[in-house]
Amino acid sequence: FNKYTSENTTNHKALGKFEIDLPSGIGINISEEFVRNHDTRGVNIGEELAFYKYSLASASIAYKLSDRFKIQADYTNFIVKYEADRNSFMDRADNTLAGYVYYRVMPKTSAFIEYEYVLIDFAESDFDGDEHHIFGGVAWEVTEKTKGTIKGGYGIKNFKDPSLEKFRGYLMEANIDYNITTRHSLKLKATRETNETNMYGTDFFVTTGFSLEYFHRFTGKITARSNIS
C-alpha cells in the first residue's frame, strides 16, 4: 500500500496435480493445494484482516462403461485454520464425496447426474452438520472455441444442533468459455450455493450471483477486459 503500509500482506499458493488416463478406460486425477491468504476486507467484524491457511486435497477416478456411459467418483478433504484466536470459531474440516453418471448425447457433449455429500466438522463452533446435493446438468467441449458446464439442482443443509436453522432450496452452477475469435472471448460464471458462517450470530449464508467477462486483444501486447457481475 502507498499510504497504509501496515496493511501490506504477502500471500502464498502452492498446487500439485497428477493426471493419467489408462488404456483400460480408467482415468485418475489427484491434486493438493495449499494457500495462505486472508478474507476480503470488510467481511469480518473488526478492522484487522483475518488471515488463514487451508489445505485442499482431492482424488477422482472415472471409468468408461461404454462409448456413451461414464461413471466417476470424487473425494475432497478441505481444512482451514485461521491464524488469530479471535477467528478460530471459523476453523473447520470438510470431507466431500461425490458420484456422477455421464451419458454422451453427442460426440463432445454429455448430460450427467451428480450426487454430493458433505460432512462439516468445526473445531470449536457448534455448526457441525452435513449437506446433500443432487444436480442434473450438461458438460460440453464442442470445439476449441466453446466449452462449459451448467448444472442445477436441490440442496439440503442440516446441523447437529436442532436449534439451528436448516436450509432447503435450489442450487446451481455455470461455467462457460466462448472464444469467438482469437481476439475476442466471453466467460460466464454463475452460482447459487451455501457457505459456512464467517460472523458471530449467523448460522450460514447463501450467495447467488453471476459474472460476465469480455476479453479483446488489440495487438500482441495490448488487451482490454470488461466485466459485469
Side-chain angles (χ1 to χ4, degrees):
F1 282 89
N2 182 49
K3 184 175 180 180
Y4 300 100
T5 55
S6 62
E7 296 192 15
N8 291 352
T9 64
T10 302
N11 301 323
H12 306 275
K13 178 178 178 179
L15 173 65
K17 193 171 185 179
F18 172 79
E19 293 183 50
I20 185 170
D21 291 319
L22 301 174
S24 60
I26 295 176
I28 300 173
N29 186 321
I30 300 172
S31 66
E32 168 69 33
E33 180 178 319
F34 176 80
V35 169
R36 194 265 186 175
N37 207 330
H38 60 78
D39 286 340
T40 304
R41 298 170 191 274
V43 169
N44 307 103
I45 296 175
E47 298 179 356
E48 297 182 55
L49 290 177
F51 288 94
Y52 61 82
K53 295 177 182 177
Y54 79 68
S55 169
L56 177 64
S58 64
S60 175
I61 183 168
Y63 179 62
K64 291 183 179 179
L65 296 172
S66 66
D67 289 340
R68 289 188 176 273
F69 280 99
K70 183 179 78 170
I71 57 175
Q72 180 176 323
D74 295 350
Y75 168 72
T76 304
N77 173 259
F78 173 76
I79 300 173
V80 61
K81 182 173 178 59
Y82 282 78
E83 296 181 4
D85 290 340
R86 68 179 183 278
N87 298 315
S88 60
F89 73 97
M90 293 186 285
D91 295 352
R92 74 179 201 274
D94 298 350
N95 286 282
T96 303
L97 291 171
Y100 306 79
V101 177
Y102 289 90
Y103 178 73
R104 186 167 56 84
V105 295
M106 289 188 288
K108 294 188 177 182
T109 302
S110 297
F112 66 89
I113 296 174
E114 173 189 354
Y115 170 74
E116 186 177 61
Y117 173 73
V118 186
L119 183 64
I120 302 165
D121 181 19
F122 279 83
E124 298 181 10
S125 305
D126 297 325
F127 299 118
D128 297 350
D130 58 21
E131 298 182 5
H132 302 266
H133 308 145
I134 185 164
F135 295 101
V138 178
W140 71 92
E141 191 168 352
V142 180
T143 66
E144 293 182 356
K145 286 189 174 183
T146 176
K147 62 180 180 179
T149 302
I150 298 175
K151 65 180 183 180
Y154 191 77
I156 299 173
K157 184 175 181 63
N158 299 310
F159 292 98
K160 287 184 178 180
D161 185 346
S163 66
L164 299 180
E165 180 183 1
K166 298 179 180 180
F167 171 83
R168 303 285 190 274
Y170 78 92
L171 303 173
M172 63 89 176
E173 182 180 322
N175 290 282
I176 301 172
D177 292 348
Y178 179 41
N179 296 314
I180 306 169
T181 68
T182 56
R183 292 192 174 189
H184 308 268
S185 66
L186 287 171
K187 289 186 177 182
L188 172 65
K189 293 185 177 182
T191 185
R192 176 176 167 82
E193 62 183 2
T194 58
N195 302 267
E196 301 312 309
T197 181
N198 63 357
M199 292 183 66
Y200 285 107
T202 62
D203 302 339
F204 67 94
F205 64 98
V206 181
T207 54
T208 306
F210 80 95
S211 68
L212 178 65
E213 182 180 74
Y214 172 71
F215 174 86
H216 178 71
R217 184 182 299 278
F218 292 100
T219 69
K221 295 185 177 181
I222 300 176
T223 61
R225 294 175 184 268
S226 60
N227 182 286
I228 181 172
S229 60

mmCIF file of all heavy atoms in Angstrom, residues 6-33:
data_model
loop_
_atom_site.group_PDB
_atom_site.id
_atom_site.type_symbol
_atom_site.label_atom_id
_atom_site.label_comp_id
_atom_site.label_asym_id
_atom_site.label_seq_id
_atom_site.Cartn_x
_atom_site.Cartn_y
_atom_site.Cartn_z
ATOM 1 N N SER A 6 1.102 -0.529 6.936
ATOM 2 C CA SER A 6 0.960 -1.543 7.980
ATOM 3 C C SER A 6 0.026 -2.670 7.541
ATOM 4 O O SER A 6 0.001 -3.735 8.149
ATOM 5 C CB SER A 6 0.434 -0.915 9.274
ATOM 6 O OG SER A 6 -0.857 -0.370 9.067
ATOM 7 N N GLU A 7 -0.757 -2.430 6.478
ATOM 8 C CA GLU A 7 -1.676 -3.443 5.979
ATOM 9 C C GLU A 7 -1.094 -4.232 4.806
ATOM 10 O O GLU A 7 -1.800 -5.023 4.174
ATOM 11 C CB GLU A 7 -3.000 -2.797 5.564
ATOM 12 C CG GLU A 7 -3.746 -2.174 6.731
ATOM 13 C CD GLU A 7 -5.167 -1.802 6.373
ATOM 14 O OE1 GLU A 7 -5.658 -2.284 5.327
ATOM 15 O OE2 GLU A 7 -5.793 -1.050 7.121
ATOM 16 N N ASN A 8 0.167 -4.029 4.491
ATOM 17 C CA ASN A 8 0.799 -4.822 3.438
ATOM 18 C C ASN A 8 0.746 -6.304 3.807
ATOM 19 O O ASN A 8 0.952 -6.677 4.964
ATOM 20 C CB ASN A 8 2.254 -4.396 3.246
ATOM 21 C CG ASN A 8 2.368 -3.011 2.636
ATOM 22 O OD1 ASN A 8 1.380 -2.436 2.215
ATOM 23 N ND2 ASN A 8 3.577 -2.492 2.600
ATOM 24 N N THR A 9 0.500 -7.151 2.847
ATOM 25 C CA THR A 9 0.410 -8.590 3.099
ATOM 26 C C THR A 9 1.174 -9.358 2.023
ATOM 27 O O THR A 9 1.387 -8.876 0.922
ATOM 28 C CB THR A 9 -1.051 -9.080 3.084
ATOM 29 O OG1 THR A 9 -1.590 -8.876 1.765
ATOM 30 C CG2 THR A 9 -1.893 -8.326 4.088
ATOM 31 N N THR A 10 1.583 -10.564 2.371
ATOM 32 C CA THR A 10 2.200 -11.498 1.431
ATOM 33 C C THR A 10 1.446 -12.809 1.519
ATOM 34 O O THR A 10 1.378 -13.422 2.588
ATOM 35 C CB THR A 10 3.683 -11.733 1.765
ATOM 36 O OG1 THR A 10 4.371 -10.478 1.744
ATOM 37 C CG2 THR A 10 4.311 -12.675 0.742
ATOM 38 N N ASN A 11 0.841 -13.212 0.429
ATOM 39 C CA ASN A 11 0.067 -14.442 0.383
ATOM 40 C C ASN A 11 0.795 -15.485 -0.457
ATOM 41 O O ASN A 11 1.624 -15.149 -1.316
ATOM 42 C CB ASN A 11 -1.326 -14.178 -0.189
ATOM 43 C CG ASN A 11 -2.097 -13.154 0.630
ATOM 44 O OD1 ASN A 11 -1.993 -13.136 1.848
ATOM 45 N ND2 ASN A 11 -2.843 -12.303 -0.036
ATOM 46 N N HIS A 12 0.472 -16.749 -0.230
ATOM 47 C CA HIS A 12 1.161 -17.837 -0.910
ATOM 48 C C HIS A 12 0.154 -18.865 -1.417
ATOM 49 O O HIS A 12 -0.902 -19.071 -0.813
ATOM 50 C CB HIS A 12 2.131 -18.551 0.040
ATOM 51 C CG HIS A 12 3.097 -17.636 0.714
ATOM 52 N ND1 HIS A 12 4.284 -17.240 0.145
ATOM 53 C CD2 HIS A 12 3.036 -17.013 1.922
ATOM 54 C CE1 HIS A 12 4.919 -16.439 0.968
ATOM 55 N NE2 HIS A 12 4.188 -16.280 2.052
ATOM 56 N N LYS A 13 0.515 -19.518 -2.518
ATOM 57 C CA LYS A 13 -0.298 -20.617 -3.046
ATOM 58 C C LYS A 13 0.621 -21.632 -3.706
ATOM 59 O O LYS A 13 1.481 -21.270 -4.515
ATOM 60 C CB LYS A 13 -1.313 -20.099 -4.067
ATOM 61 C CG LYS A 13 -2.155 -21.202 -4.700
ATOM 62 C CD LYS A 13 -3.170 -20.609 -5.679
ATOM 63 C CE LYS A 13 -3.981 -21.715 -6.335
ATOM 64 N NZ LYS A 13 -5.007 -21.160 -7.272
ATOM 65 N N ALA A 14 0.443 -22.889 -3.352
ATOM 66 C CA ALA A 14 1.206 -23.980 -3.964
ATOM 67 C C ALA A 14 0.215 -25.049 -4.423
ATOM 68 O O ALA A 14 -0.719 -25.383 -3.693
ATOM 69 C CB ALA A 14 2.198 -24.575 -2.975
ATOM 70 N N LEU A 15 0.423 -25.566 -5.617
ATOM 71 C CA LEU A 15 -0.511 -26.536 -6.192
ATOM 72 C C LEU A 15 0.264 -27.651 -6.876
ATOM 73 O O LEU A 15 1.203 -27.399 -7.639
ATOM 74 C CB LEU A 15 -1.423 -25.848 -7.206
ATOM 75 C CG LEU A 15 -2.354 -26.742 -8.032
ATOM 76 C CD1 LEU A 15 -3.385 -27.413 -7.140
ATOM 77 C CD2 LEU A 15 -3.047 -25.936 -9.126
ATOM 78 N N GLY A 16 -0.128 -28.878 -6.592
ATOM 79 C CA GLY A 16 0.432 -30.043 -7.277
ATOM 80 C C GLY A 16 -0.687 -30.878 -7.859
ATOM 81 O O GLY A 16 -1.745 -31.014 -7.249
ATOM 82 N N LYS A 17 -0.479 -31.432 -9.046
ATOM 83 C CA LYS A 17 -1.546 -32.165 -9.719
ATOM 84 C C LYS A 17 -0.977 -33.324 -10.518
ATOM 85 O O LYS A 17 0.083 -33.208 -11.142
ATOM 86 C CB LYS A 17 -2.312 -31.219 -10.647
ATOM 87 C CG LYS A 17 -3.632 -31.769 -11.155
ATOM 88 C CD LYS A 17 -4.406 -30.677 -11.871
ATOM 89 C CE LYS A 17 -5.784 -31.169 -12.274
ATOM 90 N NZ LYS A 17 -6.570 -30.121 -12.949
ATOM 91 N N PHE A 18 -1.704 -34.450 -10.495
ATOM 92 C CA PHE A 18 -1.308 -35.646 -11.252
ATOM 93 C C PHE A 18 -2.530 -36.191 -11.970
ATOM 94 O O PHE A 18 -3.588 -36.386 -11.364
ATOM 95 C CB PHE A 18 -0.745 -36.711 -10.301
ATOM 96 C CG PHE A 18 -0.499 -38.038 -10.967
ATOM 97 C CD1 PHE A 18 0.632 -38.235 -11.750
ATOM 98 C CD2 PHE A 18 -1.403 -39.077 -10.824
ATOM 99 C CE1 PHE A 18 0.849 -39.452 -12.375
ATOM 100 C CE2 PHE A 18 -1.189 -40.303 -11.431
ATOM 101 C CZ PHE A 18 -0.054 -40.490 -12.216
ATOM 102 N N GLU A 19 -2.402 -36.427 -13.275
ATOM 103 C CA GLU A 19 -3.490 -36.980 -14.073
ATOM 104 C C GLU A 19 -2.958 -38.112 -14.948
ATOM 105 O O GLU A 19 -1.851 -38.025 -15.472
ATOM 106 C CB GLU A 19 -4.105 -35.914 -14.978
ATOM 107 C CG GLU A 19 -4.844 -34.805 -14.259
ATOM 108 C CD GLU A 19 -5.482 -33.839 -15.233
ATOM 109 O OE1 GLU A 19 -6.175 -34.289 -16.166
ATOM 110 O OE2 GLU A 19 -5.267 -32.628 -15.075
ATOM 111 N N ILE A 20 -3.786 -39.143 -15.114
ATOM 112 C CA ILE A 20 -3.401 -40.235 -16.003
ATOM 113 C C ILE A 20 -4.668 -40.893 -16.553
ATOM 114 O O ILE A 20 -5.659 -41.059 -15.844
ATOM 115 C CB ILE A 20 -2.531 -41.280 -15.270
ATOM 116 C CG1 ILE A 20 -2.033 -42.342 -16.251
ATOM 117 C CG2 ILE A 20 -3.272 -41.912 -14.109
ATOM 118 C CD1 ILE A 20 -0.974 -43.264 -15.678
ATOM 119 N N ASP A 21 -4.640 -41.225 -17.825
ATOM 120 C CA ASP A 21 -5.707 -41.978 -18.478
ATOM 121 C C ASP A 21 -5.134 -43.323 -18.889
ATOM 122 O O ASP A 21 -4.223 -43.398 -19.723
ATOM 123 C CB ASP A 21 -6.224 -41.227 -19.710
ATOM 124 C CG ASP A 21 -6.981 -39.973 -19.331
ATOM 125 O OD1 ASP A 21 -7.745 -40.022 -18.355
ATOM 126 O OD2 ASP A 21 -6.812 -38.935 -20.005
ATOM 127 N N LEU A 22 -5.662 -44.392 -18.304
ATOM 128 C CA LEU A 22 -5.156 -45.741 -18.573
ATOM 129 C C LEU A 22 -5.865 -46.351 -19.783
ATOM 130 O O LEU A 22 -7.011 -46.007 -20.089
ATOM 131 C CB LEU A 22 -5.373 -46.620 -17.340
ATOM 132 C CG LEU A 22 -4.696 -46.133 -16.056
ATOM 133 C CD1 LEU A 22 -5.101 -47.006 -14.885
ATOM 134 C CD2 LEU A 22 -3.186 -46.115 -16.218
ATOM 135 N N PRO A 23 -5.206 -47.265 -20.469
ATOM 136 C CA PRO A 23 -5.828 -47.910 -21.641
ATOM 137 C C PRO A 23 -7.120 -48.650 -21.303
ATOM 138 O O PRO A 23 -7.971 -48.851 -22.166
ATOM 139 C CB PRO A 23 -4.745 -48.889 -22.120
ATOM 140 C CG PRO A 23 -3.471 -48.340 -21.573
ATOM 141 C CD PRO A 23 -3.815 -47.693 -20.283
ATOM 142 N N SER A 24 -7.294 -49.049 -20.056
ATOM 143 C CA SER A 24 -8.487 -49.784 -19.652
ATOM 144 C C SER A 24 -9.733 -48.906 -19.583
ATOM 145 O O SER A 24 -10.833 -49.400 -19.334
ATOM 146 C CB SER A 24 -8.255 -50.426 -18.283
ATOM 147 O OG SER A 24 -7.968 -49.429 -17.315
ATOM 148 N N GLY A 25 -9.566 -47.597 -19.783
ATOM 149 C CA GLY A 25 -10.696 -46.681 -19.692
ATOM 150 C C GLY A 25 -10.828 -46.005 -18.350
ATOM 151 O O GLY A 25 -11.772 -45.248 -18.119
ATOM 152 N N ILE A 26 -9.883 -46.255 -17.452
ATOM 153 C CA ILE A 26 -9.892 -45.630 -16.126
ATOM 154 C C ILE A 26 -9.052 -44.344 -16.164
ATOM 155 O O ILE A 26 -7.931 -44.338 -16.675
ATOM 156 C CB ILE A 26 -9.335 -46.588 -15.054
ATOM 157 C CG1 ILE A 26 -10.251 -47.806 -14.906
ATOM 158 C CG2 ILE A 26 -9.192 -45.870 -13.715
ATOM 159 C CD1 ILE A 26 -9.732 -48.837 -13.941
ATOM 160 N N GLY A 27 -9.604 -43.280 -15.632
ATOM 161 C CA GLY A 27 -8.883 -42.014 -15.502
ATOM 162 C C GLY A 27 -8.741 -41.641 -14.047
ATOM 163 O O GLY A 27 -9.695 -41.755 -13.263
ATOM 164 N N ILE A 28 -7.546 -41.232 -13.645
ATOM 165 C CA ILE A 28 -7.262 -40.878 -12.248
ATOM 166 C C ILE A 28 -6.733 -39.452 -12.198
ATOM 167 O O ILE A 28 -5.884 -39.059 -13.001
ATOM 168 C CB ILE A 28 -6.239 -41.853 -11.626
ATOM 169 C CG1 ILE A 28 -6.788 -43.286 -11.646
ATOM 170 C CG2 ILE A 28 -5.896 -41.439 -10.200
ATOM 171 C CD1 ILE A 28 -5.779 -44.324 -11.209
ATOM 172 N N ASN A 29 -7.230 -38.698 -11.232
ATOM 173 C CA ASN A 29 -6.837 -37.302 -11.060
ATOM 174 C C ASN A 29 -6.623 -37.039 -9.576
ATOM 175 O O ASN A 29 -7.537 -37.239 -8.774
ATOM 176 C CB ASN A 29 -7.929 -36.384 -11.618
ATOM 177 C CG ASN A 29 -7.531 -34.925 -11.615
ATOM 178 O OD1 ASN A 29 -6.895 -34.449 -10.683
ATOM 179 N ND2 ASN A 29 -7.928 -34.208 -12.649
ATOM 180 N N ILE A 30 -5.426 -36.620 -9.190
ATOM 181 C CA ILE A 30 -5.092 -36.337 -7.786
ATOM 182 C C ILE A 30 -4.478 -34.941 -7.709
ATOM 183 O O ILE A 30 -3.624 -34.584 -8.527
ATOM 184 C CB ILE A 30 -4.103 -37.373 -7.226
ATOM 185 C CG1 ILE A 30 -4.701 -38.780 -7.300
ATOM 186 C CG2 ILE A 30 -3.724 -37.041 -5.784
ATOM 187 C CD1 ILE A 30 -3.710 -39.876 -6.948
ATOM 188 N N SER A 31 -4.888 -34.163 -6.731
ATOM 189 C CA SER A 31 -4.326 -32.821 -6.589
ATOM 190 C C SER A 31 -4.254 -32.417 -5.124
ATOM 191 O O SER A 31 -4.989 -32.931 -4.276
ATOM 192 C CB SER A 31 -5.164 -31.794 -7.364
ATOM 193 O OG SER A 31 -6.437 -31.664 -6.802
ATOM 194 N N GLU A 32 -3.349 -31.503 -4.845
ATOM 195 C CA GLU A 32 -3.176 -30.944 -3.498
ATOM 196 C C GLU A 32 -2.885 -29.452 -3.643
ATOM 197 O O GLU A 32 -2.044 -29.058 -4.457
ATOM 198 C CB GLU A 32 -2.036 -31.629 -2.759
ATOM 199 C CG GLU A 32 -1.598 -30.931 -1.472
ATOM 200 C CD GLU A 32 -2.640 -31.012 -0.364
ATOM 201 O OE1 GLU A 32 -3.360 -32.034 -0.308
ATOM 202 O OE2 GLU A 32 -2.727 -30.064 0.446
ATOM 203 N N GLU A 33 -3.594 -28.649 -2.878
ATOM 204 C CA GLU A 33 -3.416 -27.199 -2.943
ATOM 205 C C GLU A 33 -3.248 -26.648 -1.539
ATOM 206 O O GLU A 33 -3.987 -27.015 -0.625
ATOM 207 C CB GLU A 33 -4.638 -26.552 -3.610
ATOM 208 C CG GLU A 33 -4.557 -25.042 -3.741
ATOM 209 C CD GLU A 33 -5.769 -24.473 -4.457
ATOM 210 O OE1 GLU A 33 -6.223 -25.082 -5.444
ATOM 211 O OE2 GLU A 33 -6.270 -23.424 -4.027
#
